Amino acid sequence: MIPLKVLVAGGFGVGKTTLVRTLSEIPPLLTEQAMTSASVGVDDADLVPDKSTTTVAMDFGRLTVDSSLILYLFGTPGQSRFWFMWDELARGSVGAVVLVDLRRIDDCFPAIDYFENRRLPFVVGVNRFPGADEHRPDDVRDALALGPDVPLVWLDARDHDSGRSALVALVQHALARTAVAS
């Protein structure tokens, strides 16, 4: 069996924990803590008003794809004060799914920059928050300044099949990049 480490990254409140929880075949390890008054004015929860917790270290889950492939999922914290964790989490990973909430598009740029700067394969997953389907893929790609080689997928972090499709797109993208580099 081939184990692959995959990151789930993106901004605050974009659905990283939800995606790990949805995909994991084991009870996921979650490091969520209650949001406190210290986050007021720092973490913009206006568009995710039901959010009461936040990841402070990482989320962890596992997904067996088939008899030969198992994915270990590591959800990164979204707030900038926890970005120091990303280097440790990224070590040894095959790549990442960078989640985007198109209502708060600026929040995804640090994650995209992180993976581009380290030349780690990533796919951009547009999480289907309200209004996401109103945007054409070419417009989203332009707004994110994505190269033509970066896969762009729409998903619902609450739906196992669409989340799994994003992971498949990432693994295929990483394999294609490896084949080109060889």
Side-chain angles (χ1 to χ4, degrees):
M1 183 161 294
I2 300 170
L4 295 178
K5 180 179 183 181
V6 172
L7 299 184
V8 178
F12 169 75
V14 76
K16 299 175 299 292
T17 297
T18 300
L19 184 60
V20 171
R21 184 182 288 130
T22 297
L23 291 171
S24 185
E25 64 197 18
I26 62 171
L29 168 67
L30 306 175
T31 61
E32 288 197 308
Q33 294 296 313
M35 292 175 58
T36 66
S37 59
S39 70
V40 174
V42 177
D43 301 326
D44 183 5
D46 289 346
L47 293 173
V48 283
D50 295 334
K51 187 165 181 60
S52 62
T53 61
T54 190
T55 300
V56 297
M58 67 173 194
D59 299 320
F60 174 78
R62 184 185 73 205
L63 175 65
T64 302
V65 176
D66 60 31
S67 62
S68 65
L69 182 62
I70 189 166
L71 301 179
Y72 292 100
L73 310 171
F74 289 81
T76 66
Q79 299 96 320
S80 60
R81 64 185 175 275
F82 298 121
W83 288 346
F84 68 91
M85 300 275 309
W86 287 22
D87 285 335
E88 288 301 317
L89 292 173
R91 186 170 291 125
S93 71
V94 68
V97 174
V98 175
L99 291 180
V100 176
D101 177 348
L102 292 178
R103 302 171 301 175
R104 300 175 292 137
I105 198 166
D106 288 347
D107 293 351
C108 73
F109 287 117
I112 289 172
D113 290 346
Y114 181 88
F115 296 107
E116 283 180 342
N117 291 336
R118 284 155 183 83
R119 298 184 180 179
L120 284 169
F122 68 97
V123 301
V124 171
V126 176
N127 201 354
R128 282 199 157 103
F129 284 104
D133 292 328
E134 297 170 10
H135 301 279
R136 295 177 331 125
D138 288 342
D139 293 339
V140 172
R141 186 174 291 284
D142 288 345
L144 297 175
L146 293 178
D149 60 317
V150 177
L152 179 65
V153 299
W154 263 248
L155 63 89
D156 182 333
R158 301 165 299 179
D159 179 72
H160 186 273
D161 291 339
S162 70
R164 186 178 166 113
S165 293
L167 291 175
V168 168
L170 171 63
V171 171
Q172 289 173 337
H173 178 56
L175 288 171
R177 283 184 45 165
T178 301
V180 169
S182 298

